[in-house]
Every structure is written in C-alpha cells, then in structure tokens.
Amino acid sequence: NAGVMQNPRHLVRRRGQEARLRCSPMKGHSHVYWYRQLPEEGLKFMVYLQKENIIDESGMPKERFSAEFPKEGPSILRIQQVVRGDSAAYFCASSPGTSGGEEQYFGPGTRLTVT
Amino acid sequence: EDQVTQSPEALRLQEGESSSLNCSYTVSGLRGLFWYRQDPGKGPEFLFTLYSAGEEKEKERLKATLTKKESFLHITAPKPEDSATYLCAVRRLGGKLIFGQGTELSVKP
C-alpha cells in the first residue's frame, strides 16, 4: 500500500512564476491536508480538503495561494507570482475519514526554492 | 488560543541514556494528541495518538503518556538511530493539527 506521494520533490522557481505542487493521498483516504514548514519554524496548517470541497482554509494566505482536490486526480496547491518568502517545504498529509482524532500520514514534501 | 510548547528544544544523549521529552498544550476540545518523528529532509512519520488523560502507548524504545495539560515521550536506552526531531501536535474538532516546534534529539554512540 503506497504512502502519500508528492511531486515534485524539489522545485525551483523565479520570482513572479507560478508553482504547482501535487499530492496523491494514501489509497482509501479521502481527506487531504497541506502544511508549510518555513526554515527554522514549525509545521503550520494551511488547508484541509475533501474531494471537491475545501473544508478549512484558515491557514492559507489571502492572496496568491489556492488549493483543490478534484474528483479525479491529485490534490494541487498552487502559488501564483511566487516571492522569496514562499521558499519552504510543503507537506501533504492524508487521513481516511471524518471521525475525530484520527491519524494523518505525511508525504515526503516538496521543497520550493524561489530565486 | 491553541498552543503547543515542546521542551527541551534540543537534547543530546549517550547511547543507553534514557530520558523524556515534554509537550505542553492548551487547546479547547482536544480530539487527539499526536507524536511524529521527522528525519532531515523527510516528512513526519506517525508514531502515536493519545486521546484521553492517563492513556499510554508503547513502540519499541518509545513510550508516550498523556495528562490533561501535557504529554511525555519517554525514550528508554536510546540508540543512535533514534536521532531525529520529535514533533508533538494537537487536534481539535475540525481536522487541522497544531504543531509544537519540536525537540531535536541526538544520540551519540
């Protein structure tokens, strides 16, 4: 049973370009979460999605960031017009359902570098 | 405001020297406390979930315990391969995890 998959593992973008990060949850999991880990900082929640629905986007910056989890295909975190402050490791996690307190399993992350 | 504080920030142990990591939390409506291990350049690896005060869970040399205000991760007779950053997180109803800053553990042979 494959774990959470993320690609690309490393992404380099110039300021002003767009970054697209992909996440395929574990088999049987329908809930996806995105977290960001800035250098020397802890993991911070960004957004929680179920298939075709955004459940909680309270951690998403108001501008330039968007996320989706379509009926078919991976979840996408999109960052438009990237700036150097967007350089970070972005982690996706998945869980199977809606009952409280269940485990989230993390992918290997995408390390975004903005030059 | 929900908050998670881990201590110490860094811990150096000799192989075989047992110790504990602390995770203090304030959260309304706790729906689980989670421990993860993170190696450099990798994603967090799930270790334990604790749901209620008094609960304990064990895995190899690790044992996690939970009270109403804090959790401890006890490491018994650690080995160099236990070196990693250990992360604590709490979950409220709603799904998102709130992480502490982590404890960086180094075990020397």
Side-chain angles (χ1 to χ4, degrees), chain A residues 33 35 37 42-43 45 48 58 91 99-104 106-108 111, chain B residues 31 34 36 38 41-44 46 49 51 87 91 94-97 99 101:
Chain A
Y33 311 79
Y35 294 83
Q37 191 169 40
L43 279 159
F45 168 80
Y48 166 27
S58 59
F91 292 98
S99 61
E102 61 189 24
E103 297 82 9
Q104 295 179 19
F106 282 78
R111 278 144 187 87
Chain B
R31 299 299 295 268
F34 300 78
Y36 288 86
Q38 187 174 25
K42 297 189 177 182
F46 171 76
T49 308
Y51 292 103
L87 302 171
R91 175 178 164 151
K96 71 180 181 183
L97 295 179
F99 281 87
Q101 292 293 97

Side-chain angles (χ1 to χ4, degrees), chain A residues 2-115:
Chain A
V4 178
M5 299 176 67
Q6 291 188 248
N7 66 80
R9 295 291 307 278
H10 300 273
L11 182 61
V12 179
R13 285 287 178 265
R14 293 180 178 174
R15 281 179 294 171
Q17 291 184 319
E18 179 179 290
R20 286 195 175 215
L21 288 61
R22 295 174 184 77
C23 168
S24 296
M26 288 179 69
K27 186 176 180 180
H29 286 193
S30 59
H31 295 235
V32 166
Y33 311 79
W34 286 93
Y35 294 83
R36 179 165 65 174
Q37 191 169 40
L38 292 164
E40 307 304 320
E41 292 189 20
L43 279 159
K44 302 293 185 185
F45 168 80
M46 298 182 75
V47 63
Y48 166 27
L49 310 105
Q50 296 177 21
K51 286 285 187 180
E52 299 183 283
N53 283 303
I54 296 175
I55 307 303
D56 180 357
E57 57 181 347
S58 59
M60 288 277 272
K62 298 299 181 189
E63 298 179 350
R64 303 187 296 108
F65 285 72
S66 63
E68 63 176 4
F69 189 16
K71 186 177 180 180
E72 301 290 339
S75 175
I76 305 289
L77 179 67
R78 181 183 179 200
I79 312 172
Q80 295 179 292
Q81 299 176 326
V82 297
V83 300
R84 288 207 172 131
D86 297 332
S87 295
Y90 292 81
F91 292 98
C92 168
S94 72
S95 68
T98 56
S99 61
E102 61 189 24
E103 297 82 9
Q104 295 179 19
Y105 295 91
F106 282 78
T110 294
R111 278 144 187 87
L112 173 65
T113 301
V114 179
T115 62

Side-chain angles (χ1 to χ4, degrees), chain B residues 24-91:
Chain B
S24 299
Y25 63 91
T26 54
V27 62
S28 53
L30 180 71
R31 299 299 295 268
L33 184 140
F34 300 78
W35 282 98
Y36 288 86
R37 168 191 171 133
Q38 187 174 25
D39 291 293
K42 297 189 177 182
E45 175 189 346
F46 171 76
L47 293 175
F48 303 108
T49 308
L50 302 165
Y51 292 103
S52 55
E55 189 175 358
E56 299 182 351
K57 289 192 176 174
E58 291 188 63
K59 179 181 180 180
E60 297 181 355
R61 295 177 291 282
L62 300 177
K63 178 180 177 181
T65 63
L66 181 65
T67 72
K68 287 187 177 180
K69 293 188 176 181
E70 57 189 351
S71 176
F72 292 93
L73 185 65
H74 307 277
I75 303 176
T76 302
K79 298 182 178 181
E81 53 261 42
D82 294 322
S83 297
T85 296
Y86 290 84
L87 302 171
C88 170
V90 297
R91 175 178 164 151

